[in-house]
C-alpha cells in the first residue's frame, strides 16, 4: 500500500469584530430582571412566634436579597463583556467563528503549512485541497485522529465560508465521508458509536494507554495560535506541538 499522508489542523478564534458581525448581539434580558426593593412583609415566617426568630429569618432573607442585587448589577455591568469573552474562548472549535492557522502533513516528508508571514487561511485551504486531489489520484489515504468529527468538517466549512470550491468526491452519494480518509478514533472505537467516559478517548490518553508518548506539557491546542504568533521561541513550541500530534 502507498504511504498515507497523516494530517492535523490547528485553529484559533477570528477577531472579536468579525465574530460580532456574525453572531447576534448580547441580550441584556439574558441576565433576568432586577430583584427590586426588599420587602420584609414578603418573607414567609410560617408558625414562628418568637420575635427574635422572625427577625433572624427576615435578616437572612434581606442578606440574600442584597447579594442578588449585587450579583445582578455585576452582570449588568460586565455581562456583555463576559458574554463575548466566553464565545471567543470557544471560537476555535467552531468553523463559523473560528479559523485555521496551521495544517501539518506527514507523508514522504513533514510539512508545516502555517498562516504566518503573509500566508492566509485561504492559501492553507487551497493547499489542502490540492493535497487531497493528489493523494486521491495516487490511491493513497489521508489519516488523522477525530478527523471525521472535527478536522475535515472544519476544513470543508471554512472553504464554504471563503468561497473555495470543495471537491464533490469529499462525500459519497449516500452522504458518507470519502473512504480515502482514515480516522484513527474510529479504529480505536472498533464500531462503538458512543464516545465513552469523558477524557478517556483523547489522543493524549489513548497514546499513553498504548505506551506511546503523550502530548507535550508546555503547550495545548488552546495555546497554539498565541504561541504561533509570539516570539521565535514560542513559535517553535507551537510547531513542536503540531509535530507531536502528527507523530
Amino acid at each position: 500500500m502507498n504511504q498515507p499522508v497523516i494530517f492535523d489542523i490547528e485553529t484559533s478564534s477570528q477577531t472579536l469584530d468579525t465574530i460580532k458581525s456574525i453572531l447576534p448581539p448580547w441580550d441584556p434580558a439574558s441576565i433576568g430582571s432586577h430583584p427590586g426593593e426588599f420587602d420584609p412583609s414578603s418573607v414567609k415566617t410560617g408558625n414562628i412566634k418568637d420575635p427574635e426568630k422572625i427577625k433572624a429569618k427576615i435578616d437572612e432573607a434581606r442578606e440574600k436579597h442584597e447579594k442578588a442585587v449585587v450579583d445582578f448589577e455585576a452582570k449588568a455591568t460586565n455581562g456583555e463583556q463576559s458574554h463575548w469573552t466566553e464565545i471567543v474562548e470557544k471560537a476555535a472549535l467552531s468553523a463559523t467563528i473560528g479559523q485555521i492557522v496551521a495544517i501539518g502533513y506527514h507523508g514522504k516528508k513533514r510539512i508545516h503549512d502555517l498562516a504566518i508571514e503573509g500566508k492566509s487561511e485561504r492559501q492553507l485551504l487551497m493547499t489542502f485541497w490540492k493535497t487531497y486531489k493528489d493523494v486521491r489520484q495516487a490511491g493513497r489515504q489521508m489519516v488523522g485522529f477525530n478527523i471525521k468529527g472535527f478536522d475535515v468538517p472544519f476544513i470543508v466549512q471554512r472553504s464554504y465560508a471563503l468561497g473555495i470550491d470543495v471537491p464533490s468526491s469529499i462525500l459519497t452519494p449516500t452522504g458518507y465521508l470519502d473512504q480515502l480518509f482514515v480516522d484513527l478514533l474510529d479504529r480505536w472505537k472498533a464500531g462503538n458509536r458512543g464516545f465513552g467516559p469523558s477524557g478517556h478517548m483523547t489522543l493524549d490518553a489513548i497514546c499513553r494507554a498504548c505506551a506511546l508518548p503523550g502530548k507535550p506539557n508546555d503547550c495545548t491546542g488552546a495555546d497554539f495560535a498565541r504561541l504561533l504568533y509570539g516570539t521565535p521561541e514560542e513559535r517553535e513550541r507551537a510547531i513542536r506541538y503540531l509535530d507531536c500530534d502528527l507523530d
Side-chain angles (χ1 to χ4, degrees), residues 68-81:
V69 171
V70 170
D71 290 345
F72 175 85
E73 291 175 348
K75 289 178 181 178
T77 301
N78 305 315
E80 183 172 13
Q81 180 177 344

Side-chain angles (χ1 to χ4, degrees), residues 114-188:
L114 311 173
I116 57 174
E117 298 172 352
K119 181 174 283 190
S120 67
E121 182 188 24
R122 172 180 291 275
Q123 290 173 292
L124 266 59
L125 290 166
M126 296 291 286
T127 298
F128 176 85
W129 290 122
K130 181 181 184 305
T131 302
Y132 165 78
K133 291 174 182 177
D134 290 346
V135 168
R136 201 168 193 272
Q137 181 67 32
R140 300 166 70 187
Q141 292 179 309
M142 299 189 73
V143 180
F145 184 85
N146 195 28
I147 57 174
K148 289 184 181 179
F150 184 72
D151 300 64
V152 177
F154 204 106
I155 290 168
V156 170
Q157 291 158 10
R158 290 304 302 153
S159 297
Y160 287 152
L162 294 175
I164 298 170
D165 287 340
V166 175
S168 59
S169 56
I170 196 75
L171 293 179
T172 68
T174 52
Y176 289 96
L177 191 62
D178 187 350
Q179 291 188 346
L180 166 151
F181 293 105
V182 177
D183 191 331
L184 296 180
L185 179 58
D186 275 357
R187 295 292 178 91
W188 174 262

Side-chain angles (χ1 to χ4, degrees), residues 171-231:
L171 293 179
T172 68
T174 52
Y176 289 96
L177 191 62
D178 187 350
Q179 291 188 346
L180 166 151
F181 293 105
V182 177
D183 191 331
L184 296 180
L185 179 58
D186 275 357
R187 295 292 178 91
W188 174 262
K189 290 163 71 173
N192 182 352
R193 293 180 180 275
F195 206 80
S198 176
H200 290 202
M201 290 198 189
T202 63
L203 178 59
D204 182 57
I206 292 173
C207 284
R208 293 178 188 277
C210 293
L212 297 169
K215 293 204 174 193
N217 295 322
D218 64 344
C219 181
T220 68
D223 299 324
F224 186 88
R226 175 181 60 80
L227 295 174
L228 181 65
Y229 298 118
T231 65

